[in-house]
Structures are given as structure tokens and as C-alpha cells.
Amino acid sequence: MRALRFLILLALSTCAFAQTHSYLFVWSGDDAKKSNDFLAVLDADPTSPHYGQAVASVAVPGPSGTPHHTELTMPKDGFLLANAFESGHTTLFDLRDPLHPLVVTSFGDLDEYMHPHTYVRLPDNHVLATFQYHGGHDPKSDGGGIVEFDERGHIVRSGSALDPIAKAELIRPYSLVALPSLDRIVSTNTAMHDDGDARTVQIWRLSDLKLLHTLVLPPGPRGSEQKNPGEPQVLADGKTVMIHTFSCGLYELDGVDTSRPSVKHRKTFDGKTCAVPLRIGNYWVQTLFSEHALASYDISDLSNIHEVSRITFDDKQKPHWISPDADNHRIVLNSGEYGEHRLFMINFDPQTGALTLDKNFRDPGSDRPGVSMDGKSWPHGFHGDAYAHGTVFSLPGSSQAASAGK
């Protein structure tokens, strides 16, 4: 009987550990561009004595391709897609066991579409991705499109973003969001290379990747907010899409499933450059790149969007990437390759929108919040300065977290 009780308690304690332990998967590159790209695993459990420290890493074979976006959050199956944008390669990582990350496969162009940027999972676990170019990748090359494939890179279908009625517009598919219940996709155009300024969003039919509409964003009060649309996010109603721009505008897109969709300017954020945003409940969390800040805004009334909280960093930080944990109580932030190579942990209150800096997430012996990527030796053998870009939390309660108890 005592033995049975012990086994039950052991099982419960293992289950509790699996639900609470957390890791960060950090898609990283050698700042000198001499060593392999790699994915690092950091301990993200605030109760752990190793909080913020590296526990594993794995290198990607071949030369550096400039690590850029991963999927925006960790997929449920434990496999993560990440791109090296300059090389145009996508790598699939098996992260079901965080302490032993694996490279599964890598692939490049699909159906002559080149340089993928953003990945979105569909309910059947197929992947939609934006590709910037088709058939070439110079400033005069054709604009790309959207490709559907399985996570191993086997193509299902593709669709071109070129629109005869928008020949004067720069078409460089950047990001996208899927609305399966409406059989729609919304994508944005922004050139990763210096090809010029884009200003359009596009609406597609999800079932066959047919392009339906290309809409030009109107200018805001500054006259430039429409330049370079970035990340689209669907509101809780499942049909209204909000679109931020890298020129610090926020736009509302309505009627995506109608013959006459419309788009209007709703907010101008502080600063000249704004990067990756999040929509969490009634709050819009926005990186203010040029203001060295992260801010949250109440969007419950789109006619009265207002700031509720802000964290301002030092001038070395240029907030670019953010991603939430599974319950939206923590956000990881970094400046990518654009600012100091440092990761920050932000506590977020989904009820009030309040942002607070987690000062315990830091390097051992340091008096500065944040974890540096510079001057470190990583488990796979690299030593030097590195930068983080796409960074996501592990999923609690999944095989990822449970495997840590082995």
C-alpha cells in the first residue's frame, strides 16, 4: 500500500513538473557570420536555479543564412519551422524533447517561390507561408505569393500575389493570417530587401489560394503610416483584421468575406519604426523599435485606442520580436540583429494590459536585467557573439515539457 501511494505521489509530482516547467527556443546566428546558425534552448522556469541559462543547443549544417522568423508560437506537435531569410532556407526542428533538440530537415524554394518569411499552421497542420519572390530575387523580380505545404516541405498548392489591377504597387508578400471559418487569408506586402516601400494588403480564398483583392492602405495623419504593412491579427469576432505597419500605423480591415472589403486607419504609434505586435484579448502589444520601448494599447473600442502601459529600454535596445507564452502572462522580447544582442522577459497582465520587466531573468552574477547572447559558449560548441531573432516558449503540459522529467 505504501509503495502504491509512493507511485501515485511520484506520478503527480512528475505531472506537476510537466505543467510548470518552461523553455525558450531561440533561433540564433553568429554575429560574425562565420559559424553555423543554431537553435538554443534556455531555461525559462522562474523557479529554476538555472533561469535564463542555456540548457541545450543544436547547429544547422551549412553556412549562415541569417536566422530570421520562426513560427510566431510553438506548434502543438512540437516541431518548429524557422527560416534563414538571406539563404531562403527553411529548417524544421524537433523540439519535443527540449534538452535534445534535433534538426529534422531543411528545404529552399517551393514551386519557384523564393525567400519565405512567415509561417501559419492550418487546422490540418498544413502550413501556409509567404514567399517574397518568384523566379528570381532582385529588385525587378516578380512578386512572390503564398505556398501551402506540409511541415516537411512537400508542396500542396501555391498562389501568386501578382494582381493585374495593382501593377504599380510593390508586391513582396511578408506576413499573413488565415480565417478558415470564412475561407479567407489576409496577407501583407513589405520588402525585406531594399526594393522600395509597399503599401498593400491582399485577401485570398483559402480553399484554392486564389487572390481576390489588393487594397492600398490610406495614409494617416502623418502621411506615411501606410508604408510597409507588417503583421495582420484577427480580433475576437473572427472576422475583423488589424494590420500594423513598420511606419507605425494601425489599420482595421473589414468585410474580408464580401465583395467590397474596406480598410481604414485607426492609430498612429509613437516613433518612426514599429516592429512585431501581438493581439492578446482586448490589448494590442506593440514593439516601438525607434522609441526603444514596448507598449500595450486598449483596443476594445477601435474608435478610441489608447495606451495603457509601457516599458522603455536603453538606447541599445531596438525591440523587434515578441512572442507570448501559452497563457499570455509572459512575453519574450529581443532586438534581433538590429540592436544589442539581448533577450528580455516581460510579465503581462491580460486583465489590465500592464507590462512589467522581469528583473530576475538575467545572466548569473549580472546586475542587468536580460540575458545576453554575446561572448558565450553554447552546448553545441560555438563560442562568440550571437544574435537572437525568432524566439518562442515551449508548450506546458505537452510532450516537450514532460520529456524534461526524464
Side-chain angles (χ1 to χ4, degrees), residues 17 20-26 39-57 98-99 101 330 332 343-345 358 360-364 370-371 373 376 378-379 391-394 401 404-405:
F17 177 80
T20 59
H21 207 87
S22 178
Y23 297 93
L24 286 175
F25 301 123
V26 188
L39 187 128
V41 184
L42 303 187
D43 189 332
D45 182 356
T47 66
S48 169
H50 307 295
Y51 187 38
Q53 297 179 37
V55 295
S57 61
L99 303 183
R330 293 193 295 166
V332 62
L343 294 158
F344 292 92
M345 190 71 73
D358 181 352
N360 293 321
F361 186 74
R362 64 176 68 204
D363 290 309
V371 171
M373 297 288 291
K376 290 186 173 179
W378 298 90
T391 303
V392 299
F393 287 88
S394 63

Side-chain angles (χ1 to χ4, degrees), residues 5-294:
R5 186 178 300 170
F6 173 78
L7 290 174
I8 292 172
L9 290 173
L10 179 61
L12 289 173
S13 65
T14 302
C15 180
F17 177 80
Q19 292 174 350
T20 59
H21 207 87
S22 178
Y23 297 93
L24 286 175
F25 301 123
V26 188
W27 183 217
S28 310
D30 173 14
D31 194 47
K33 300 186 183 300
K34 294 181 179 179
S35 295
N36 306 68
D37 303 333
F38 65 97
L39 187 128
V41 184
L42 303 187
D43 189 332
D45 182 356
T47 66
S48 169
H50 307 295
Y51 187 38
Q53 297 179 37
V55 295
S57 61
V58 61
V60 176
S64 174
T66 309
H68 195 62
H69 271 216
T70 61
E71 296 178 78
L72 292 175
T73 57
M74 188 68 208
K76 293 179 180 179
D77 69 351
F79 291 83
L80 182 72
L81 292 163
N83 70 58
F85 183 80
E86 292 302 329
S87 68
H89 277 84
T90 295
T91 298
L92 177 68
F93 293 97
D94 180 351
L95 302 175
R96 292 174 295 176
D97 181 348
L99 303 183
H100 301 93
L102 299 172
V103 174
V104 178
T105 189
S106 180
F107 52 91
D109 303 350
L110 295 177
D111 203 15
E112 295 189 67
Y113 287 95
M114 310 172 70
H115 294 278
H117 187 270
T118 296
Y119 311 97
V120 169
R121 298 269 176 157
L122 295 172
D124 62 2
N125 208 37
H126 280 179
V127 179
L128 293 175
T130 49
F131 284 71
Q132 292 249 294
Y133 300 94
H134 186 264
H137 56 97
D138 60 61
K140 294 184 179 181
S141 295
D142 284 346
I146 294 177
V147 181
E148 181 181 344
F149 52 93
D150 69 21
E151 64 181 12
R152 307 270 172 145
H154 302 122
I155 190 167
V156 177
R157 59 175 64 90
S158 64
S160 173
L162 295 181
D163 189 337
I165 68 171
K167 290 183 178 180
E169 300 297 329
L170 177 63
I171 302 298
R172 293 287 182 262
Y174 179 84
S175 190
L176 75 165
V177 68
L179 296 82
S181 64
L182 300 180
D183 192 25
R184 292 293 184 269
I185 302 166
V186 174
S187 68
T188 60
N189 285 295
T190 282
M192 283 287 294
H193 295 141
D194 190 19
D195 294 346
D197 291 323
R199 56 176 189 163
T200 56
V201 299
Q202 297 183 296
I203 300 173
W204 310 64
R205 192 161 57 215
L206 173 58
S207 53
D208 60 1
L209 296 189
K210 178 179 175 57
L211 179 64
L212 302 175
H213 305 280
T214 300
L215 287 77
V216 177
L217 297 183
R222 289 182 188 164
S224 61
E225 292 94 329
Q226 78 275 34
K227 293 181 180 179
N228 301 319
E231 305 291 343
Q233 303 270 334
V234 183
L235 295 187
D237 64 7
K239 61 183 181 180
T240 304
V241 179
M242 303 300 291
I243 300 162
H244 110 290
T245 71
F246 285 94
S247 300
C248 295
L250 183 62
Y251 289 80
E252 176 190 358
L253 175 61
D254 285 319
V256 295
D257 59 340
T258 70
S259 61
R260 299 187 66 180
S262 63
V263 63
K264 66 179 69 173
H265 172 268
R266 282 299 194 180
K267 178 71 175 177
T268 298
F269 300 116
D270 295 341
K272 294 181 178 180
T273 306
C274 296
V276 175
L278 293 173
R279 198 276 296 178
I280 302 177
N282 288 326
Y283 297 100
W284 188 271
V285 183
Q286 181 65 57
T287 52
L288 303 177
F289 183 99
S290 56
E291 296 294 295
H292 317 288
L294 180 71

Side-chain angles (χ1 to χ4, degrees), residues 274-337:
C274 296
V276 175
L278 293 173
R279 198 276 296 178
I280 302 177
N282 288 326
Y283 297 100
W284 188 271
V285 183
Q286 181 65 57
T287 52
L288 303 177
F289 183 99
S290 56
E291 296 294 295
H292 317 288
L294 180 71
S296 61
Y297 302 83
D298 186 332
I299 58 170
S300 56
D301 178 358
L302 295 181
S303 65
N304 183 32
I305 297 173
H306 56 279
E307 183 175 325
V308 295
S309 186
R310 179 181 295 218
I311 297 174
T312 300
F313 301 89
D314 62 55
D315 290 351
K316 294 180 181 180
Q317 315 310 320
K318 296 181 179 180
H320 179 83
W321 175 275
I322 49 175
S323 180
D325 69 358
D327 63 6
N328 293 322
H329 281 88
R330 293 193 295 166
I331 297 169
V332 62
L333 174 148
N334 68 61
S335 299
E337 58 270 43

